[in-house]
Amino acid sequence: MTASARCFIVADAHLGQVPPAVEVAFHAFLDQVPQPGDQLLINGDLFDFWFEYATTIPRRHAATAMKLGHVVRRGIPVTFLGGNHDRWGGDFLRRDLGIHYHTGEVELDLAGRRALVVHGDGLTEQHWGGALTHWLLRQPLTVAIFRTFHPTVGDWIAHKLSGTLADSTKDKAVLDRAEAAQAVYARDLLGRRPDLSLVVMAHTHRARVDRLPDGRAYVNPGAFLDGGRYAVVTPDAVELKTFSA
């Protein structure tokens, strides 16, 4: 991703598992907010489930995929870092849509600032079940087995499992601990890496900006599903915003 004056960061829309109004709002955000000369970073879990087969993509997300392709054609570079729900992208996103798609941690230049971007799953989990789940989902054997399922069956399994996991991870105390653990992780990383200007995380659905005295920062844009939350990075500032169509 090349440098620009502004970088917009969104994450955790979980399209497909949320009310249709969230998808409508996200499409409006894409139309109205990033403009040519800006950058767009999607830090994981845009889709509640995304898995590309050789000739098949999830039909429920076709409209959003086409909308992202239009953003790229408008001259706005889009980088998509897969989260624990949409890490299994591939050639369709990269070649057909022109998105810079990554399956794991990546270093980027965001608005001229060196940033380490990571979705956050598996790093600061506060329950052994969550840590185990995220470890299993990253294993090549798990992905290979899932790929043997018919796409319709795979989509059904993922959709049902995702709803169950969402219901089991709403404990406020657990989320508070996860948010605090992410902040510690980011602060320690910035301490070890003076070359980094930003650490960008998501996953906890908690919007947060921690600024160091030297101007470097940790940012989590929060969940777009939670009222259209996003973040804006410029060469001199990091701000949390809320989109209203």
Side-chain angles (χ1 to χ4, degrees):
M1 181 181 276
T2 57
S4 70
R6 299 184 301 179
C7 177
F8 295 96
I9 305 173
V10 295
D12 295 297
H14 290 271
L15 303 181
Q17 191 66 248
V18 292
V22 178
E23 182 177 15
V24 172
F26 183 69
H27 290 184
F29 170 85
L30 294 178
D31 287 337
Q32 298 176 31
V33 177
Q35 297 299 320
D38 295 329
Q39 303 165 271
L40 175 63
L41 169 63
I42 301 169
N43 193 11
D45 291 357
L46 171 61
F47 305 117
D48 199 67
F49 175 63
W50 180 274
F51 193 99
E52 287 185 34
Y53 295 84
T55 58
T56 305
I57 62 167
R59 179 179 178 179
R60 72 175 75 232
H61 300 312
T64 300
M66 295 303 102
K67 181 69 74 170
L68 288 171
H70 178 64
V71 171
V72 173
R73 290 192 296 275
R74 288 171 56 207
I76 302 165
V78 177
T79 294
F80 187 162
L81 182 74
N84 49 300
H85 287 260
D86 47 21
R87 185 164 285 121
W88 306 280
D91 283 350
F92 175 75
L93 294 174
R94 295 188 182 103
R95 183 184 62 196
D96 295 356
L97 298 185
I99 293 171
H100 304 285
Y101 180 77
H102 304 272
T103 59
E105 176 182 304
V106 65
E107 292 189 24
L108 304 168
D109 286 327
L110 306 182
R113 305 174 66 161
R114 191 64 179 171
L116 186 139
V117 184
V118 58
H119 181 66
D121 57 299
L123 290 178
T124 58
E125 303 300 333
Q126 300 299 303
H127 189 277
W128 69 268
L132 178 61
T133 299
H134 296 306
W135 179 83
L136 284 172
L137 291 177
R138 291 173 180 268
Q139 301 309 302
L141 180 59
T142 304
V143 177
I145 291 173
F146 192 89
R147 196 174 294 281
T148 65
F149 299 155
H150 187 280
T152 301
V153 175
D155 183 77
W156 181 85
I157 292 172
H159 194 64
K160 293 298 182 182
L161 180 61
S162 178
T164 301
L165 290 174
D167 290 338
S168 66
T169 56
K170 293 180 179 178
D171 188 314
K172 183 177 183 298
V174 172
L175 293 175
D176 287 345
R177 293 197 300 271
E179 179 188 21
Q182 277 198 346
V184 171
Y185 176 90
R187 184 178 65 242
D188 290 346
L189 182 58
L190 288 168
R192 298 193 309 271
R193 293 282 307 275
D195 59 307
L196 291 176
S197 177
L198 293 172
V199 173
V200 183
M201 300 180 74
H203 186 57
T204 61
H205 295 199
R206 299 292 186 89
R208 179 166 180 161
V209 174
D210 290 347
R211 299 176 179 87
L212 300 184
D214 60 5
R216 298 186 299 148
Y218 155 61
V219 58
N220 184 322
F224 191 87
L225 64 83
D226 185 18
R229 292 183 178 275
Y230 68 101
V232 184
V233 174
T234 66
D236 303 314
V238 182
E239 297 180 285
L240 298 175
K241 300 281 190 178
T242 300
F243 175 72
S244 179

